[in-house]
Amino acid sequence: MTIDHKTSAQAVVIGAGPAGLMAAEMLAQAGLSVTICDHKPSVGRKFLMAGKSGLNLTKIEEPEPFLAAFSTAGGPLKPIIEAFDNHAVQDWAAGLGQALFTGSTGRVFPTVMKASPLLRAWLARLAQAQTQINTRWRWMGWQGDALAFDTPEGPQTLQADVTVLAMGGASWARLGSTGEWAVPLADSDVKIAPFAPANAGIAMDWSPHMAAHFGSALKGIGLKSGTYRSRGEALVSAQGLEGGGIYTISRGVREGHPLMLDLLPDQTEKALVEKLEKPRGKMSMANFMRKTLKLDVAKIALLQEMARPLPQDAKALAKLLKALRIAHAGLRPMDQAISTAGGVRFDAVDDTLMLRARPGVFVAGEMLDWEAPTGGYLISACLATGRWAGQNAAVWAQKA
């Protein structure tokens, strides 16, 4: 992509998460005058929240399975992610002075296991490029050709030669992702797919029997819902089931498929039958399973919660252990989801991520209609789409 670095074009980026900051950096590198606007008092709030659990930047994985994690959005995202892949993400972070390490599952983290040092270095680099940041500026849509904002000083407008929208999805509103931007875009005839929770916990109406196990982890389980499968763990909470294993298959639950758990994925059903057919004497069924199958108390409690009274037949009980159907109350509310599905449809943008209905306006990050499981895919794709939108916005501004 060839960019002319001699320009006085004015660029506005709305949204100061990873996608917006990356777009701003690309525009500034191309020589544009860049203003970033965000409606919160400070920038990168959801990015910093992600850093509290280690800031999983990307995942070391071959291109095919990496793209497969984005499901139906893998096609339109393919050239964007290939242009800024998992190795490029690592180089970018290293360029900001961040030492990284790769975990046993291929997930990549800063060694300091938080986002704040990276964000500080990034903002310093943007400041050196003379990028201006306006906080507490809430985008309200357009007033004629100008961008309209509600600010502490009252209504304000900005004229932009090119605009990048990167305001996130519709979860974690307190961190800035409200989805309110969908209204002015829909009013401009932009096609918007309805929002839905992604990477969400499962809501459960527990009986009092489960209260003693809140905070317990169900480790080493297999999870399945529709075509979505996971091997990991789930946390039992007062609200339901949480954790990486749950988030990976939450899309299947959202689509209406049953949620099935394999409590002992390393043992075959046949092996379980053989163990369960052994005499148990005066032991209760719970103690028998704990000692004979090495089944911990949290898994036994869940088994009893879902299937009490347990079958006495070894074959029937083994089937339950390998395919326990979880009766649940759906996904947790969308604002509690890690991310959201829905947003600006890919057929509403061209291959540069410019809105077909509003030439000169580009879209990046979770505003676009894609979803992926946790594990490095989310931030990686936000960075990649921000870079792609920013670079193409610079080219467009210089040709306009």
Side-chain angles (χ1 to χ4, degrees), residues 282-301:
K282 296 182 179 180
M283 279 192 290
S284 67
M285 179 61 78
N287 277 336
F288 181 63
M289 288 190 292
R290 182 173 57 83
K291 292 185 176 182
T292 305
L293 305 181
K294 309 302 181 186
L295 200 64
D296 65 51
V297 292
K299 290 180 181 178
I300 293 171

Side-chain angles (χ1 to χ4, degrees), residues 31-56:
L32 280 76
S33 177
V34 182
T35 299
I36 303 169
C37 298
D38 194 279
H39 72 127
K40 301 303 285 185
S42 59
V43 306
R45 290 195 164 199
K46 194 172 181 182
F47 188 61
L48 290 171
M49 176 63 78
K52 288 190 174 182
S53 59
L55 193 66
N56 187 186

Side-chain angles (χ1 to χ4, degrees), residues 283-367:
M283 279 192 290
S284 67
M285 179 61 78
N287 277 336
F288 181 63
M289 288 190 292
R290 182 173 57 83
K291 292 185 176 182
T292 305
L293 305 181
K294 309 302 181 186
L295 200 64
D296 65 51
V297 292
K299 290 180 181 178
I300 293 171
L302 181 65
L303 179 68
Q304 292 174 327
E305 177 79 356
M306 294 296 111
R308 191 188 293 115
L310 297 180
Q312 299 300 304
D313 177 72
K315 291 182 179 179
L317 184 54
K319 285 184 180 296
L320 265 183
L321 290 164
K322 296 296 290 180
L324 179 64
R325 183 165 181 152
I326 303 299
H328 57 80
L331 298 184
R332 297 289 299 156
M334 184 162 62
D335 193 50
Q336 298 175 18
I338 291 175
S339 59
T340 49
V344 177
R345 287 169 39 173
F346 278 102
D347 59 359
V349 295
D350 64 16
D351 59 5
T352 70
L353 296 183
M354 184 171 72
L355 289 173
R356 299 184 188 277
R358 298 233 29 150
V361 179
F362 295 74
V363 182
E366 287 192 70
M367 281 184 68

Side-chain angles (χ1 to χ4, degrees), residues 14 16 23 26 29 32-33 45 63 150-151 163 170-171 192 201 224 277 298 304 352:
I14 306 176
M26 296 301 101
Q29 284 181 7
L32 280 76
S33 177
R45 290 195 164 199
D150 181 23
T151 81
T163 303
S171 65
I192 308 288
K224 180 175 72 170
E277 285 180 335
Q304 292 174 327
T352 70

